[in-house]
Amino acid sequence: MGRQLTEDVEEFRTAADPCLVRDPARSTRLLTISESIRVNGAAVPARFGYGRENGTAFVQTPPLRPLLGPMPDRAARELVPVLRAAQPSLDS
């Protein structure tokens, strides 16, 4: 599927920035949160995800739900099992 999950904000930004900066107005929250974590660090481990093939991205700062970047409905539906599979590690 090419979807990657990481706690590394630099890895996320390197991979996701081309998608996020293409539509910065719709990506504002993901850009702002990831930049804040990049500069200040995170109080809790943040999770980042990006899709290599479809240019999708999300950020999750537990205990909050993931924030999705701009993506087609189909890509969002495909993301559900990925997030569910990662859920146990997100709670720890």
Side-chain angles (χ1 to χ4, degrees), residues 16-39:
D17 268 7
C19 168
L20 298 175
V21 299
R22 207 173 310 131
D23 193 349
R26 292 181 61 205
S27 302
T28 298
R29 293 190 305 167
L30 273 71
L31 288 165
T32 301
I33 290 168
S34 61
E35 187 61 22
S36 176
I37 291 170
R38 180 189 262 176
V39 171

Side-chain angles (χ1 to χ4, degrees), residues 1-75:
M1 179 184 297
R3 192 169 316 278
Q4 302 292 317
L5 301 176
T6 184
E7 291 182 2
D8 184 338
V9 68
E10 294 299 334
E11 176 185 344
F12 170 75
R13 289 297 299 263
T14 297
D17 268 7
C19 168
L20 298 175
V21 299
R22 207 173 310 131
D23 193 349
R26 292 181 61 205
S27 302
T28 298
R29 293 190 305 167
L30 273 71
L31 288 165
T32 301
I33 290 168
S34 61
E35 187 61 22
S36 176
I37 291 170
R38 180 189 262 176
V39 171
N40 302 312
V44 296
R47 296 286 182 160
F48 305 95
Y50 54 93
R52 292 190 185 278
E53 287 98 27
N54 56 12
T56 59
F58 77 87
V59 172
Q60 183 178 25
T61 54
L64 302 175
R65 293 181 178 163
L67 293 172
L68 305 181
M71 66 180 69
D73 289 345
R74 179 178 177 203

Side-chain angles (χ1 to χ4, degrees), residues 5 79-89:
L5 301 176
L79 185 57
V80 171
V82 173
L83 293 172
R84 282 190 179 140
Q87 194 60 43
S89 62

